Amino acid sequence: MANSDEISPAKPLSLAIWNFSSSWFLIPQGTSIIAAVLHQLHYQFGALPVLAKIVWIYAIVLLGLGVGIYLLRVVLYPRHVLREIRGNVVEASCLSSIPIAFTSIIQMIALQYDGSADLVAYILWWISTALSIIAVIGVPYLQLKMQPKGIEHIPPSFLLPVISVLTSAAAGGTICENSNLSARLRVPAIIVSYMELGTGIPLAICIDACIIYHHFDRAYPQYDKAYQDMVLCGPFGQASFALQILGLAVKHSFGEYSRGMLLTADAAAPIAAVSQFAGVLAWGFGTFWWLFAILSIAYTLYVQSGGWRNVHFSLTAWSLVFPWGVYTNAAVQLGKLMDSPAFDVWSTVLLLLLVVMWIVETGLTLKGIATGKIFGLESGWRVPKTKQQTV
């Protein structure tokens, strides 16, 4: 009997679990942000809040199912999973999608409910914040100490741990702005959220500089990972929203808290204005990366062997959804902040394109599951006759 943790299994179901990578968490991550954008969009109609709630529940189911299967993978093949995490930066980075999706789901609790749900969201936010901090410290440590050396081994997915702390900051601002919690609870969350921005934004700039070097050096991207370029937009779209919503939370919290020189009503107005203006700047930088990613992806897929006809779907295509979503969410918030019809219309256009993209990718994912190809099953879900190996 072969050691199932040394040799890939022959049975299709076992092999599917063996190949269930952390990239699957990109799906609930992208789905959860769509729910948030649908809920906050300026142009609301009767069914939109209901649709947002349905998508939110769907994201919860996807995350729970994904975590369950991944834990089963860890239990059945612990050494295989450990090797993947230690040797594959994408595998390690995509684990950060778990706290990202979890935090976005918590954010929707604060947006939809009040009363005792405020405290539930607040407690869960501290848990997700701890997970995000672990991710932003742990994944870079793995990259520096255990994974292949060299700047060429830093893909855009390396930004996911950074996005996790920025998502935590955005959720912290959302919870504080939309809850009836006391200032004694809100202000610590606001301060920690700003600290997370202080961690995430400089790290994102440094990592983006490394990644764009590859483009100038003609050494990147690989055709099968071209979609990851959209991740470059994610940190600044999320930072923009976080800075805007935290600015609003500061206005409503510091005056009530009123301690020291910084946490006072007098300091609240200038801090809020600077924070919100910085949100505009961050969205501008995110716009550059959004356009850059679209051009880069289009060009990379066009010049590959076979051109557009040879484009194949893989889980990396889900890298498009969440960054696009947070960029859209920041545009929605800018429309509210400046009472701007231009941002209201543009964010609606972005959302429509995002929903179409999400539907297409969902369909292709379901097709890949049905055929087994997305799990690396060459013969589909049938047991290969040529393989007699048992697990």
Side-chain angles (χ1 to χ4, degrees):
M1 182 175 181
N3 189 331
S4 63
D5 204 25
E6 293 292 342
I7 304 173
S8 60
K11 293 182 180 179
L13 182 58
S14 299
L15 184 57
I17 296 173
W18 172 281
N19 290 328
F20 191 86
S21 71
S22 60
S23 296
W24 281 93
F25 296 116
L26 294 171
I27 302 177
Q29 171 184 289
T31 303
S32 60
I33 193 60
I34 289 177
V37 178
L38 287 170
H39 185 86
Q40 299 181 93
L41 191 69
H42 175 77
Y43 298 111
Q44 292 282 325
F45 58 90
L48 201 57
V50 177
L51 181 60
K53 181 170 291 188
I54 292 172
V55 175
W56 174 62
I57 294 172
Y58 180 53
I60 296 173
V61 173
L62 287 175
L63 181 60
L65 186 62
V67 170
I69 297 174
Y70 198 85
L71 288 176
L72 180 61
R73 183 190 187 215
V74 171
V75 171
L76 294 178
Y77 314 112
R79 282 181 286 181
H80 168 62
V81 175
L82 183 60
R83 282 195 302 270
E84 285 292 301
I85 293 174
R86 292 184 61 180
N88 185 347
V89 66
V90 175
E91 179 75 18
S93 296
C94 286
L95 287 175
S96 304
S97 295
I98 298 175
I100 292 173
F102 182 49
T103 306
S104 299
I105 289 169
I106 295 168
Q107 187 173 339
M108 279 294 289
I109 297 176
L111 290 172
Q112 295 179 102
Y113 305 106
D114 52 18
S116 58
D118 292 340
L119 186 58
V120 171
Y122 183 80
I123 294 171
L124 291 176
W125 176 80
W126 281 106
I127 296 172
S128 70
T129 297
L131 294 174
S132 297
I133 292 172
I134 291 171
V136 80
I137 295 174
V139 173
Y141 180 83
L142 283 173
Q143 170 68 11
L144 292 172
K145 300 295 184 180
M146 300 182 185
Q147 293 172 348
K149 305 299 181 182
I151 198 172
E152 66 274 10
H153 296 292
I154 302 179
S157 61
F158 193 60
L159 284 164
L160 286 172
V162 177
I163 295 175
S164 70
V165 293
L166 295 174
T167 302
S168 175
T174 301
I175 292 169
C176 293
E177 174 61 16
N178 292 276
S179 72
N180 294 316
L181 298 171
S182 68
R184 291 182 61 187
L185 294 177
R186 296 197 307 267
V187 170
I190 291 171
I191 298 301
V192 169
S193 296
Y194 273 116
M195 289 179 179
E196 290 179 305
L197 286 172
T199 299
I201 294 175
L203 278 174
I205 294 172
C206 293
I207 296 170
D208 278 2
C210 295
I211 294 169
I212 200 171
Y213 168 79
H214 289 292
H215 289 277
F216 287 127
D217 196 44
R218 308 290 185 185
Y220 187 85
Q222 301 175 20
Y223 299 124
D224 61 337
K225 298 180 180 179
Y227 302 108
Q228 289 188 29
D229 276 355
M230 187 57 71
V231 180
L232 297 168
C233 169
F236 303 101
Q238 192 68 291
S240 174
F241 176 80
L243 287 164
Q244 294 176 66
I245 199 70
L246 283 169
L248 292 174
V250 164
K251 284 184 178 180
H252 301 150
S253 301
F254 278 16
E256 182 182 342
Y257 194 75
S258 191
R259 290 188 181 181
M261 299 177 62
L262 181 65
L263 308 178
T264 63
D266 291 338
I271 291 173
V274 170
S275 181
Q276 291 165 346
F277 183 70
V280 178
L281 299 179
W283 192 83
F285 198 21
T287 300
F288 165 79
W289 287 116
W290 180 76
L291 291 169
F292 179 90
I294 291 174
L295 293 173
S296 176
I297 293 168
Y299 176 78
T300 302
L301 297 179
Y302 175 74
V303 300
Q304 70 175 332
S305 178
W308 289 101
R309 295 181 180 180
N310 200 35
V311 174
H312 299 290
F313 176 77
S314 67
L315 288 174
T316 58
W318 281 98
S319 301
L320 296 169
V321 178
F322 186 83
W324 192 301
V326 294
Y327 175 71
T328 303
N329 201 32
V332 171
Q333 191 62 31
L334 284 171
K336 296 178 180 180
L337 190 67
M338 298 187 287
D339 192 17
S340 170
F343 275 103
D344 293 338
V345 172
W346 178 233
S347 60
T348 303
V349 172
L350 288 171
L351 176 60
L352 291 174
L353 294 172
L354 178 64
V355 170
V356 171
M357 185 191 310
W358 178 74
I359 292 172
V360 170
E361 293 192 15
T362 298
L364 292 173
T365 302
L366 292 174
K367 179 182 177 181
I369 293 172
T371 61
K373 291 182 179 180
I374 204 166
F375 293 108
L377 305 180
E378 298 178 2
S379 303
W381 291 99
R382 296 174 299 176
V383 178
K385 296 181 180 179
T386 58
K387 293 185 178 182
Q388 301 300 323
Q389 177 186 351
T390 59
V391 179

